[in-house]
Amino acid sequence: MAEENQRKASETEKQVDFGYRAVPESEKEEDVKEVFESVAKRYDLMNDVLSLGLHRLWKSTCVSLSGAAEGQKVLDIASGTCDMAIRFGEAVGKSGEVWATDINHEMIKEGVKRLKAVGCKAHVAICDCEALPFEDNFFDIAVVSFGLRNMTHKDRALKEMMRVVRPGGRVVVLEFSRCWKIFKPFYDLYSFKLMPWLGQKIAGDAESYRYLAESIRMHPDQQTLAKIMEDVGLDRVTWKNMTFGVCALHIGLKP
Ligand SMILES: C[S@@+](CC[C@H](N)C(=O)[O-])C[C@H]1O[C@@H](n2cnc3c(N)ncnc32)[C@H](O)[C@@H]1O
């Protein structure tokens, strides 16, 4: 009976995308969690292999265009293995403050190892981006790098990021985006054939890398994401394409 009720409830519940699959809204977070628990240990290696090292360039461009300066406070959302937290730690220096946050214990566990290895003093917190445990107007910058497309409610996540940033502060989104049409056939072949194959060979998990390819296609394109950012109240939203639009950096100001 309980199972039957649960089945009926999930049939009537709003559906959201999990890659190309529609799943009940309440289940997406758990599905995303499974993906990142599965890939956590090989996440950094896979990033280097799959992007041919390009993610390093995208991330360093993101830090320099974010305008992060000595002494500032930065919140890294969906920090995962803390790559961005480390980079922002260097940008804000010892007088600054960086918080690395993620919903997933396995990812952040790998991140803490990396923070220690490089001597980065970032604070760490496990939390859902859609309900951040920080006071209003606390940070100069809130950044999310390759995390937004996994969020169940992107608008809620962006609203929370804006809430914790001071007026005049920046919400920064680095994410896969819509690549140039001419590049698309090659990119599709690479994403749907080679990526899952490499995922299987290196991380023993083809399915998570299939989800990666699908979730990129389901993520809003450059213009749509800019509109979502404006709709939550961000001002002067701009974006910059990187590597033929494979990835884009959006920045909005809190009024
Ligand atoms: C692709 S990884 C990105 C990691 C890192 N930012 C980077 O650029 O390499 C996506 C991360 O988003 C996290 N995530 C997904 N949903 C989240 C949520 N609602 N709140 C916080 N983090 C979330 C996952 O746990 C995962 O660590």
Coordinates of all heavy atoms in Angstrom, one line a residue, residues 32 36 43 47 59 78-80 102-104 107 127-129 145-147 149-151, ligand 1:
V32 N 21.8 12.8 -8.9 CA 23.0 13.6 -9.1 C 24.1 13.1 -8.1 O 25.3 12.9 -8.4 CB 22.8 15.1 -9.0 CG1 24.1 15.9 -8.9 CG2 21.9 15.6 -10.2
F36 N 28.1 11.7 -8.7 CA 29.3 12.2 -8.2 C 30.0 11.4 -7.1 O 31.2 11.4 -7.0 CB 29.1 13.7 -7.7 CG 28.9 14.6 -8.9 CD1 27.7 15.1 -9.2 CD2 30.0 14.9 -9.7 CE1 27.5 15.9 -10.4 CE2 29.8 15.7 -10.9 CZ 28.6 16.2 -11.2
Y43 N 37.7 12.0 -10.4 CA 37.1 13.2 -11.0 C 38.2 14.1 -11.6 O 38.0 14.6 -12.8 CB 36.3 14.0 -10.0 CG 35.7 15.3 -10.5 CD1 34.6 15.3 -11.2 CD2 36.4 16.5 -10.3 CE1 34.0 16.5 -11.7 CE2 35.9 17.7 -10.8 CZ 34.7 17.7 -11.5 OH 34.2 18.8 -12.0
N47 N 38.7 15.0 -15.6 CA 38.6 16.4 -16.1 C 39.7 16.7 -17.0 O 39.5 17.3 -18.1 CB 38.7 17.4 -14.9 CG 37.3 17.7 -14.4 OD1 36.3 17.3 -15.0 ND2 37.2 18.5 -13.4
K59 N 39.1 27.7 -16.1 CA 39.0 28.1 -14.7 C 39.9 29.3 -14.4 O 39.5 30.2 -13.7 CB 39.3 26.9 -13.8 CG 38.2 25.8 -13.8 CD 38.6 24.6 -13.1 CE 37.5 23.6 -13.0 NZ 37.9 22.2 -12.5
A78 N 29.2 24.2 -5.1 CA 29.5 23.0 -5.8 C 31.0 22.8 -6.1 O 31.4 22.5 -7.2 CB 28.7 23.0 -7.1
S79 N 31.7 23.0 -5.0 CA 33.2 23.1 -5.1 C 33.8 21.8 -5.5 O 34.9 21.7 -6.1 CB 33.7 23.6 -3.8 OG 35.1 23.9 -3.9
G80 N 33.1 20.7 -5.2 CA 33.6 19.3 -5.6 C 35.0 19.1 -5.0 O 35.2 19.1 -3.8
D102 N 29.8 22.1 -0.9 CA 29.2 21.1 -1.9 C 28.2 20.3 -1.1 O 28.2 20.2 0.1 CB 30.3 20.2 -2.4 CG 29.9 19.5 -3.7 OD1 29.1 18.5 -3.6 OD2 30.4 19.9 -4.8
I103 N 27.3 19.7 -1.8 CA 26.3 18.8 -1.2 C 26.8 17.4 -1.0 O 26.2 16.6 -0.2 CB 25.0 18.9 -2.1 CG1 23.8 18.5 -1.3 CG2 25.1 18.0 -3.3 CD1 22.5 18.8 -2.0
N104 N 27.9 17.1 -1.7 CA 28.3 15.7 -1.7 C 29.6 15.4 -0.9 O 30.7 16.0 -1.1 CB 28.6 15.4 -3.2 CG 28.8 13.9 -3.4 OD1 29.7 13.3 -2.8 ND2 28.0 13.3 -4.3
M107 N 32.8 14.0 -2.8 CA 33.5 15.0 -3.7 C 34.4 15.9 -2.7 O 35.5 16.1 -3.0 CB 32.6 15.8 -4.5 CG 31.9 15.1 -5.7 SD 33.1 14.6 -7.0 CE 33.3 16.2 -7.8
C127 N 26.7 21.7 2.1 CA 25.3 22.3 2.1 C 24.8 22.3 0.6 O 25.5 22.2 -0.3 CB 25.4 23.8 2.6 SG 26.5 24.8 1.7
D128 N 23.5 22.5 0.6 CA 22.8 22.5 -0.7 C 22.7 24.0 -1.2 O 22.4 24.9 -0.4 CB 21.3 22.0 -0.4 CG 20.5 22.0 -1.7 OD1 20.9 22.5 -2.7 OD2 19.4 21.4 -1.6
C129 N 23.1 24.2 -2.4 CA 23.2 25.5 -2.9 C 21.8 26.2 -2.9 O 21.7 27.4 -2.9 CB 23.7 25.5 -4.3 SG 23.8 27.1 -5.1
S145 N 31.1 26.6 -10.6 CA 31.9 26.1 -11.8 C 31.5 24.7 -12.1 O 31.7 23.8 -11.3 CB 33.4 26.3 -11.5 OG 34.1 25.3 -12.2
F146 N 30.8 24.5 -13.2 CA 30.4 23.2 -13.7 C 29.5 22.5 -12.7 O 29.5 21.3 -12.6 CB 31.6 22.3 -14.1 CG 32.4 23.0 -15.1 CD1 33.7 23.4 -14.8 CD2 31.9 23.2 -16.4 CE1 34.5 24.1 -15.8 CE2 32.7 23.8 -17.4 CZ 34.0 24.3 -17.1
G147 N 28.7 23.3 -12.0 CA 27.8 22.8 -10.9 C 26.3 23.1 -11.2 O 25.4 22.4 -10.9
R149 N 24.4 23.1 -13.8 CA 23.5 22.3 -14.6 C 23.0 21.1 -13.8 O 22.0 20.4 -14.2 CB 24.2 21.9 -15.9 CG 25.2 20.9 -15.7 CD 25.9 20.4 -17.0 NE 26.7 19.3 -16.6 CZ 27.9 19.4 -16.0 NH1 28.4 20.6 -15.8 NH2 28.6 18.4 -15.7
N150 N 23.6 20.8 -12.7 CA 23.2 19.6 -11.9 C 22.1 20.0 -10.8 O 21.6 19.2 -10.2 CB 24.4 19.1 -11.1 CG 25.5 18.6 -12.0 OD1 25.3 17.7 -12.8 ND2 26.6 19.2 -11.9
M151 N 21.8 21.3 -10.7 CA 20.9 21.7 -9.7 C 19.5 21.5 -10.1 O 19.1 21.8 -11.3 CB 21.1 23.2 -9.4 CG 22.6 23.6 -9.2 SD 23.0 23.8 -7.5 CE 24.8 23.9 -7.6
Ligands
LIG1 C1 31.0 18.7 -12.1 S1 31.2 19.0 -10.4 C2 32.1 20.5 -10.3 C3 33.2 20.6 -9.3 C4 34.1 21.8 -9.4 N1 33.3 23.0 -9.1 C5 34.8 21.9 -10.7 O1 34.6 22.9 -11.4 O2 35.6 21.1 -11.0 C6 29.6 19.4 -9.8 C7 29.4 19.4 -8.3 O3 28.1 20.0 -8.0 C8 27.7 19.4 -6.8 N2 26.3 19.7 -6.6 C9 25.3 19.2 -7.3 N3 24.1 19.6 -6.8 C10 24.4 20.5 -5.8 C11 23.6 21.3 -4.9 N4 22.3 21.3 -5.0 N5 24.3 22.1 -4.0 C12 25.6 22.0 -3.9 N6 26.4 21.3 -4.7 C13 25.8 20.5 -5.6 C14 28.1 18.0 -7.0 O4 28.1 17.3 -5.7 C15 29.5 18.1 -7.6 O5 30.5 18.1 -6.7

